[in-house]
Amino acid sequence: MAAYKDPENTILIELKTGTVAIELLPDIAPQHCTRIKELAREGAYDNVIFHRVIDGFMAQSGDVENGNTETGFDLRRAGTGASSKPDLPAEFSGVPHDRGTLGAARSQNPNSANSQFFINFSDNHFLNRQYTVFGRVIDGMDHVDTITRGEPPANPDKMLSVKVAADA
């Protein structure tokens, strides 16, 4: 395993093609960083599909309610659920939505982010200051680039496991 600058604020997502390491930004979005670590430590993200993957835009996952292929999976409803935890307030910042950044998915309500997130395939600056950026891929972006496209994909890829590097 690689050595990470801050293992407590590094998330490791295991995909079928390899590991994606994400550096969290707790100084920018502390509540979102705490939430992804809580859900990772509970195993809530394990076996959750990427339900919305748009070429040149982003890959979205994190519907722990409807997107888990081992429990309660429903491809038609994937992307409509959240976790049992309360929604998070927006933590908008000046950090741009560049390629490889992790953004919090939400509904029209800016304070509705919960468990879902997306990884930007390209610079998506039209999202700046409208969606919370709370991490960035520091290793394994080549694996993110191979995630099966679709809304939802017919045979979606999933996160085999999601862990905090300090626990791995």
Side-chain angles (χ1 to χ4, degrees):
M1 186 184 81
Y4 298 105
K5 183 174 65 181
D6 183 358
E8 180 56 30
N9 286 299
T10 304
I11 296 290
L12 303 174
I13 300 175
E14 196 64 38
L15 301 179
K16 69 182 182 189
T17 57
T19 304
V20 178
I22 295 170
E23 173 187 44
L24 297 178
L25 304 171
D27 295 345
I28 303 295
Q31 294 180 77
H32 287 75
C33 293
T34 296
R35 173 64 52 84
I36 196 170
K37 290 191 296 184
E38 284 174 347
L39 292 171
R41 287 188 160 125
E42 292 170 6
Y45 286 125
D46 297 355
N47 300 303
V48 172
I49 67 160
F50 285 89
H51 63 269
R52 185 168 177 245
V53 186
I54 303 170
D55 199 37
F57 180 32
M58 57 89 215
Q60 185 171 330
S61 185
D63 181 347
V64 300
E65 184 179 13
N66 301 313
N68 187 322
T69 58
E70 307 296 310
T71 59
F73 180 64
D74 183 346
L75 187 59
R76 292 181 315 277
R77 298 199 59 220
T80 63
S83 75
S84 59
K85 300 178 188 314
D87 287 348
L88 295 168
E91 294 179 298
F92 299 160
S93 71
V95 176
H97 283 265
D98 289 338
R99 172 173 163 75
T101 52
L102 190 71
R106 61 171 178 80
S107 69
Q108 296 292 351
N109 177 348
N111 300 311
S112 64
N114 190 296
S115 62
Q116 292 190 42
F117 61 87
F118 57 90
I119 302 172
N120 287 294
F121 285 132
S122 58
D123 293 352
N124 293 314
H125 293 171
F126 64 94
L127 299 173
N128 291 356
R129 297 190 185 276
Q130 297 180 60
Y131 289 83
T132 300
V133 174
F134 65 106
R136 64 172 58 95
V137 174
I138 54 172
D139 191 35
M141 192 63 194
D142 53 324
H143 301 304
V144 173
D145 288 334
T146 68
I147 296 170
T148 303
R149 297 341 192 224
E151 295 183 74
N155 295 297
D157 285 325
K158 65 182 174 183
M159 298 182 289
L160 301 173
S161 73
V162 179
K163 296 194 175 2
V164 177
D167 305 337

